[in-house]
Structures are given as structure tokens and as C-alpha cells.
């Protein structure tokens, strides 16, 4: 089983849901930048205060803040990890590459979760997070298309990308992921 993985996909695709399952089954560190940012907001830290309004608008928090969070978690962690929701643009991908080079580690596989927009909207509206209103969801899709989607091509060219059908139930999607990992 690969030990250093990225989950890529549109907002609401189920990256958090599936990466949590896979990480706990395989003893990998689950690093969700969305969860870590929400925890900072909840704790009312300076970083959280800076991130809160940006997240509520459905935009991306600054690369500098997100990178500081990721660097802090990956430094000193020599075991496997699963990155969920990071990188989210080419700048973050490049910064991740240099960080990993310093740590003498590399990405082994990128899992793209693919599914139609109608299902994504349905899932997010039923999740009901503060940034899950219809207007904000629409804006997050635009941000995804402009900033995150180019990463598909980037990782495809590096021969690291596999695509999984993420439209089924949680169990069906987990089975598809396990299958694609050859397990
Ligand atoms: P994230 O926390 O990454 O959230 P997400 O992309 O919206 O959702 P995810 O794909 O993880 O879906 P989930 O499992 O919850 O980002 C939130 C915000 O944080 C961003 O907009 C941005 O502002 C900021 N941020 C995060 N990372 C950043 C970065 N690197 N740089 C800058 N800013 C960053 O699933 C969705 C719902 O569907 C859940 O309710 C779930 O229970 C349900 N579900 C999941 N799988 C299902 C299935 N198979 N069938 C039915 N329901 C399912």
C-alpha cells in the first residue's frame, strides 16, 4: 500500500470522508487543511481570525498560512500521510514539492474524486456547514475550476494521478478507492 497520498476533487466530493477512513484503516496521518483551518477558527487564534472571513466567502485562505500549517505537521513525521484538500493551487503544489524535497519524501499517488455538480451541491447542502449556502457553494466551484482543476493536468503529467468514481454511497466509493490501490 502506498504511504504518501493526496486526495484531489471538487468541494463536497467526499475527500474528507474517504481520506479519514483510509487513513485510519492504514495508520496514516490524515492532514486536512480544511479541518485544521476550522479548528483555528473555533479556537479564535490570530490565524483563525484571518481565515474565517475568507472561508465564509468560499475563497482560498492565503498560501502562506496554509503552508505554515502543513509544514508544521509534516516536519518530524517520517511515516505515511494522506493530504486532504491540499494543495489547492499550483503555487501550493510547488511549495509542497520543495518541502518534500527538504524532508526527503515524495508523493506516491494522487486520487481524484470525480462526480457531477448536482450531487456535490446536494451533499454540501445536507452537510450544512457555515460556508455551505448556495451562493458560497457556487463561488467555491468557480474557485475550484480556476485554481484547483489545473492540478489534475499537473499530476497526470507526472504519472501520479488515478481517478475514482465518487458518485456512489460512502461504502461504494471506499471500495472503488481500495480497488484502485490494489487492495
Ligand atoms: P474543505 O474542508 O477541504 O472541504 P470540502 O472540499 O468542501 O469538502 P470535502 O470534499 O472534504 O467533502 P466531505 O467529505 O465533507 O474546504 C473548506 C474551505 O477551507 C475551502 O473552501 C477554503 O476556504 C479552505 N481551505 C481548505 N484547504 C485549503 C487550502 N489548501 N488552501 C486554501 N484554503 C483552503 O463530504 C461532503 C458531504 O457529503 C458530507 O456531508 C459527507 O457526509 C457527505 N458525503 C461524503 N461522501 C458521500 C457519499 N459517498 N454519499 C453521500 N454523501 C456523502
Amino acid at each position: 500500500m502506498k504511504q504518501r497520498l493526496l486526495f484531489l476533487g471538487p468541494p463536497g466530493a467526499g475527500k474528507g470522508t474517504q481520506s479519514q477512513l483510509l487513513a485510519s484503516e492504514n495508520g496514516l496521518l490524515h492532514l486536512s487543511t480544511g479541518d485544521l483551518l476550522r479548528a483555528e477558527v473555533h479556537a479564535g487564534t490570530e490565524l483563525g481570525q484571518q481565515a474565517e472571513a475568507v472561508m465564509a466567502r468560499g475563497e482560498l485562505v492565503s498560501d502562506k498560512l496554509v503552508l505554515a500549517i502543513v509544514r508544521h505537521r509534516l516536519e518530524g513525521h517520517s511515516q505515511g500521510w494522506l493530504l486532504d484538500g491540499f494543495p489547492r493551487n499550483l503555487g501550493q503544489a510547488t511549495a509542497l514539492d520543495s518541502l518534500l524535497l527538504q524532508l526527503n519524501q515524495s508523493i506516491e499517488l494522487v486520487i481524484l474524486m470525480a462526480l457531477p455538480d448536482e450531487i456535490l451541491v446536494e451533499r454540501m447542502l445536507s452537510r450544512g456547514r457555515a460556508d455551505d449556502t448556495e451562493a458560497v457553494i457556487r463561488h467555491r466551484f468557480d474557485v475550484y475550476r480556476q485554481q484547483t482543476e489545473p492540478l489534475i493536468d499537473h499530476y497526470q503529467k507526472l504519472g501520479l494521478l488515478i481517478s475514482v468514481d465518487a458518485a456512489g454511497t460512502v461504502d461504494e466509493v471506499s471500495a472503488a478507492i481500495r480497488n484502485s490501490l490494489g487492495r
Side-chain angles (χ1 to χ4, degrees):
M1 157 83 191
K2 310 256 188 225
Q3 294 292 303
R4 305 190 205 287
L5 310 165
L6 301 190
F7 265 78
L8 194 62
K15 301 181 293 292
T17 307
Q18 293 300 332
S19 45
Q20 221 163 347
L21 282 170
L22 194 65
S24 69
E25 277 171 15
N26 295 284
L28 305 175
L29 169 73
H30 173 214
L31 208 162
S32 156
T33 43
D35 285 352
L36 292 169
L37 288 167
R38 280 185 288 278
E40 296 283 343
V41 171
H42 188 69
T45 63
E46 198 187 320
L47 193 156
Q49 285 169 21
Q50 290 177 48
E52 188 170 17
V54 181
M55 292 172 81
R57 288 197 302 271
E59 284 163 15
L60 296 185
V61 173
S62 85
D63 290 353
K64 198 169 157 228
L65 285 187
V66 176
L67 280 163
I69 290 181
V70 173
R71 174 180 288 276
H72 177 69
R73 303 280 158 154
L74 285 188
E75 272 173 351
H77 182 85
S78 55
Q79 317 271 304
W81 40 252
L82 202 161
L83 301 185
D84 158 15
F86 176 88
R88 238 166 168 108
N89 58 31
L90 283 166
Q92 292 183 7
T94 310
L96 175 63
D97 286 344
S98 6
L99 172 63
L100 293 178
L101 199 66
Q102 286 168 30
L103 301 178
N104 204 16
Q105 299 182 7
S106 58
I107 301 163
E108 292 175 274
L109 192 72
V110 178
I111 301 173
L112 171 68
M113 301 190 62
L115 72 172
D117 284 3
E118 313 83 77
I119 302 183
L120 295 169
V121 176
E122 226 173 81
R123 284 186 188 175
M124 281 190 278
L125 288 177
S126 60
R127 179 175 62 182
R129 223 167 53 193
D131 58 345
D132 283 338
T133 63
E134 261 195 87
V136 174
I137 290 173
R138 243 193 312 275
H139 186 54
R140 284 161 66 200
F141 282 155
D142 290 342
V143 171
Y144 174 77
R145 307 262 180 260
Q146 286 162 19
Q147 302 204 39
T148 312
E149 229 169 37
L151 294 178
I152 298 176
D153 197 40
H154 174 75
Y155 288 118
Q156 206 150 31
K157 283 186 179 139
L158 293 172
L160 290 171
L161 191 92
I162 57 161
S163 179
V164 165
D165 177 7
T169 63
V170 172
D171 287 348
E172 285 165 351
V173 179
S174 310
I177 291 173
R178 279 197 211 98
N179 222 7
S180 65
L181 291 169
R183 300 174 58 241

